[in-house]
Amino acid sequence: MAELTRRGFLIGAGAAGAALALTATAGRAFAAKGEDEDNLDWANQVTEEISCDILVIGGGFSGTAAAVQAGENGDKVLLVEGQSALGGNGTGVECTNAYGLHPNSGETTLGEMVRYEADAQSYTVNQMFIRDMISHAAENVQWLIDNGVQYEAIEDLDLAYLEMYKEGRYRAAFSFDYVYKGGAAGIGYFPFMKKKLAEYGVNLRLNTRARDLVLDENGNVAGAYATDTYGDTIKINAKAVIIGTGGFGEDADRMGKLGIDLNDVRIIGTPGHYGDGVTMMIKAGGIEHGAPAFGCTNIIGSAGPWGPIWDKLCWGGPSLWVDIHGERFSDEACSTYTHNFELQHVPVRLAGGTCWTIMDQTILETMLEGDEEAAQLWDEMIANGDDAYRADSLEELADAMEGVDKELFLSQVEQYNACVAAGVDSDYGKDAQYLMPISTPPFYCGLIRGALEGLYSGGVKTDRCFRVKKPGRDQAFENLFAIGADGGMLYNNMYGIDINGSMSCHGVNSARTAANTAHEFIANGR
Ligand SMILES: Cc1cc2nc3c(=O)[nH]c(=O)nc-3n(C[C@H](O)[C@H](O)[C@H](O)COP(=O)(O)OP(=O)(O)OC[C@H]3O[C@@H](n4cnc5c(N)ncnc54)[C@H](O)[C@@H]3O)c2cc1C
């Protein structure tokens, strides 16, 4: 059986760590932006000038695919990557949806899949974009295979994981995904795509960070400025620019404007997602998407996502959640109803980014379900004060929860226990099967924060060809494209992980569509 990444954590293989370690050793070429960098006059600092047909900014999952497609089309391509290795968050991708190619997809119609995704997310998704993505999935994955990308053979996979996706704590009913060799794109995708870049003569510059777009007198895109680790500023002239910088998960300013404090979030993935692409495109006149969808799940203390503490104690259910003031704010069982680990964190994010999960001894034992490893880890976390505390009384517990208003907290527990006694959650309607009193000492609390797997959708608005939209009806740049996480037209506010492997499916689809549209634009001499 293949070692799987995110799933691997659940079944104990843990291959994602290995995949991400590949890039961790590559080091960090650039830190986050300095204070005034957005306003620097790059034109006055140019020390080198180069020209190409297509400039691809960002050598992650989608940028690499765009560069390979553009190279295959015969265009002269320059690919710049800010870090010292290709990959970005794409390194950790374990699977890509391959509807139409995967043998299990035979019975399912395209319409059923689109309907499922739309319905599961209350029709807030862009149905046409979802349809475009899924209808090209087979062709795109076949193209990757033709370019040497390697997947685990379907017959070698333990198909139990498909069942886990369908019936377990995931809601992904349409698991028609191909799993990368070794369980991660860092192993099955990038080494082979890198070979293709060389074969097609793509000029690859690592440690080179794009800073600003060059616009001509008509406001069209004419290239970009970039800096490298030698301190050079490079002016890159290009007939078309494709941007795939992976979103703005590490941009404290933009995240702050969404009410997300990066101190409340642990970033899971590679460094380098400072929002450069999104900032450049908005500055050039593109429209911000405005309703970004994140891959974010709950964690407590230093215990990572997909480990035993996550599996047992982060999903809510019979525990009581209170915000940093001590007030209850949500039905704690909502993510258990939906089988959606992305939905775990939404109520917490809406409540300010962190919350306390409260358990008594009986609730803790119920949630641990006899998992000895999780129980031992929990004890260790308490012993280390790792955002986890135990107390003999609720008053003492309140003292351990920094910032919590003790009176408010105690009154909330009283109110909650009254709901439990009545068998009806009159405040948030939690299902009666999850209503258990907070009454048997000792009592426990853990501080829940978010583990951010990056922005999944939501940089700037694009049209169907991934051209960056401008204000006005049907207005878009002809030669500026946003792909992958930077092109944000699929999901709004919430990524439901309903169609498994959809983000990389979108990554390769947006990349190829953009490269082919740019090729036509150049071929038509515009
Ligand atoms: C742990 C993990 C597991 C995941 N698993 C899956 C999965 O199984 N299936 C799935 O479909 N999706 C998965 N995802 C989501 C997927 O990784 C992303 O959707 C995908 O990587 C987005 O591709 P991208 O090209 O937009 O961004 P990235 O792959 O992150 O690439 C962006 C690149 O741009 C570079 N960059 C940034 N700024 C600049 C600049 N100014 N100049 C030059 N370069 C720059 C970055 O260094 C990076 O290399 C996972 C994500 C994580 C973190």
Side-chain angles (χ1 to χ4, degrees):
M1 190 203 140
E3 283 209 332
L4 305 173
T5 53
R6 192 187 287 141
R7 304 171 189 122
F9 280 103
L10 281 169
I11 57 175
L20 292 179
L22 285 177
T23 44
T25 52
R28 176 184 283 233
F30 289 99
K33 274 181 284 199
E35 264 179 24
D36 292 323
E37 267 182 34
D38 283 342
N39 301 320
L40 276 180
D41 181 5
W42 299 107
N44 272 333
Q45 309 188 30
V46 173
T47 47
E48 185 188 357
E49 186 161 345
I50 45 179
S51 297
C52 59
D53 291 329
I54 298 181
L55 167 65
V56 180
I57 299 176
F61 197 90
S62 43
T64 302
V68 170
Q69 180 63 67
E72 189 181 295
N73 292 344
D75 292 313
K76 189 177 166 199
V77 187
L78 171 63
L79 170 60
V80 296
E81 164 54 47
Q83 302 294 308
S84 51
L86 287 180
N89 283 340
T91 320
V93 168
E94 67 201 53
C95 62
T96 295
N97 198 285
Y99 169 76
L101 200 61
H102 194 291
N104 291 1
S105 46
E107 300 287 302
T108 309
T109 65
L110 174 63
E112 275 175 318
M113 287 191 73
V114 176
R115 164 86 192 247
Y116 178 79
E117 185 72 329
D119 193 47
Q121 304 206 38
S122 301
Y123 292 86
T124 59
V125 299
N126 187 317
Q127 294 175 61
M128 185 191 260
F129 276 59
I130 299 276
R131 182 180 174 279
D132 281 353
M133 170 184 82
I134 299 170
S135 63
H136 293 121
E139 176 196 330
N140 286 333
V141 172
Q142 187 58 56
W143 175 80
L144 291 174
I145 293 169
D146 294 343
N147 275 295
V149 167
Q150 294 195 5
Y151 295 97
E152 296 290 344
I154 305 279
E155 57 275 17
D156 288 348
L157 290 171
D158 177 358
L159 292 183
Y161 86 84
L162 289 183
E163 295 312 311
M164 182 185 83
Y165 263 63
K166 286 178 194 167
E167 290 164 18
R169 289 184 153 183
Y170 297 83
R171 193 171 48 174
F174 297 106
S175 298
F176 308 133
D177 49 308
Y178 271 34
V179 175
Y180 289 92
K181 185 183 165 195
I187 299 165
Y189 175 95
F190 283 100
F192 306 105
M193 292 295 268
K194 201 174 166 194
K195 268 193 201 157
K196 283 289 159 185
L197 292 176
E199 199 179 306
Y200 293 132
V202 170
N203 182 1
L204 169 61
R205 288 208 179 190
L206 298 172
N207 296 315
T208 304
R209 179 175 177 183
R211 300 289 183 159
D212 204 1
L213 290 169
V214 178
L215 300 178
D216 67 18
E217 58 281 2
N218 301 317
N220 296 320
V221 174
Y225 297 105
T227 54
D228 63 20
T229 41
Y230 303 106
D232 285 327
T233 298
I234 310 153
K235 183 178 183 206
I236 303 160
N237 303 309
K239 294 172 189 161
V241 178
I242 299 176
I243 301 191
T245 59
F248 54 84
E250 291 167 87
D251 181 340
D253 284 351
R254 204 171 289 284
M255 293 292 273
K257 284 179 193 148
L258 294 166
I260 299 169
D261 183 338
L262 287 187
N263 293 313
D264 293 339
V265 159
R266 174 144 26 113
I267 308 263
I268 309 289
T270 59
H273 301 83
Y274 306 126
D276 293 344
V278 177
T279 301
M280 285 188 270
M281 291 186 277
I282 293 170
K283 189 176 165 201
I287 310 172
E288 185 162 9
H289 173 269
F294 300 95
C296 199
T297 190
N298 286 344
I299 52 168
I300 301 174
S302 59
W306 307 293
I309 292 293
W310 176 79
D311 194 31
K312 300 297 176 203
L313 302 185
C314 289
W315 286 77
S319 59
L320 164 70
W321 285 356
V322 295
D323 68 13
I324 52 167
H325 306 294
E327 181 156 8
R328 186 170 179 231
F329 58 90
S330 163
D331 172 352
E332 299 83 358
C334 58
S335 61
T336 60
Y337 311 143
T338 56
H339 300 280
N340 185 340
F341 71 83
E342 304 291 352
L343 188 57
Q344 271 183 2
H345 193 64
V346 172
V348 182
R349 191 189 331 150
L350 295 175
T354 60
C355 76
W356 292 98
T357 181
I358 313 293
M359 296 163 286
D360 72 354
Q361 184 62 30
T362 313
I363 294 175
L364 177 68
E365 283 168 15
T366 305
M367 291 179 79
L368 287 175
E369 293 176 312
D371 184 327
E372 284 176 20
E373 190 190 356
Q376 194 182 330
L377 275 169
W378 182 242
D379 283 344
E380 283 167 20
M381 288 173 70
I382 290 169
N384 296 331
D386 187 6
D387 284 349
Y389 306 95
R390 176 174 42 218
D392 290 331
S393 69
L394 286 166
E395 286 76 6
E396 264 178 64
L397 197 72
D399 289 337
M401 296 188 279
E402 203 190 324
V404 160
D405 177 329
K406 193 191 278 191
E407 257 178 54
L408 174 66
F409 169 66
L410 294 175
S411 71
Q412 292 287 289
V413 175
E414 202 176 316
Q415 192 171 324
Y416 180 72
N417 282 344
C419 289
V420 175
V424 177
D425 176 7
S426 51
D427 290 316
Y428 296 104
K430 179 152 88 173
D431 198 303
Q433 65 172 305
Y434 296 107
L435 289 175
M436 293 176 68
I438 311 278
S439 56
T440 311
F443 301 98
Y444 302 87
C445 66
L447 183 68
I448 289 182
R449 294 187 298 137
L452 182 73
E453 268 191 350
L455 183 78
Y456 276 12
S457 178
V460 294
K461 290 190 191 294
T462 70
D463 68 9
R464 230 173 149 180
C465 296
F466 301 97
R467 287 179 288 227
V468 176
K469 277 195 165 184
K470 294 178 185 175
R473 183 187 294 163
D474 211 20
Q475 297 296 305
F477 286 93
E478 280 189 297
N479 63 345
L480 177 64
F481 301 82
I483 61 173
D486 283 347
M489 293 295 291
L490 282 94
Y491 300 97
N492 294 289
N493 289 315
M494 174 65 198
Y495 174 61
I497 197 161
D498 300 306
I499 293 179
N500 206 14
S502 56
M503 285 328 299
S504 52
C505 187
H506 160 67
V508 65
N509 186 50
S510 56
R512 295 189 70 209
T513 308
N516 291 333
T517 311
H519 177 71
E520 258 176 56
F521 170 82
I522 293 167
N524 289 337
R526 281 183 282 162

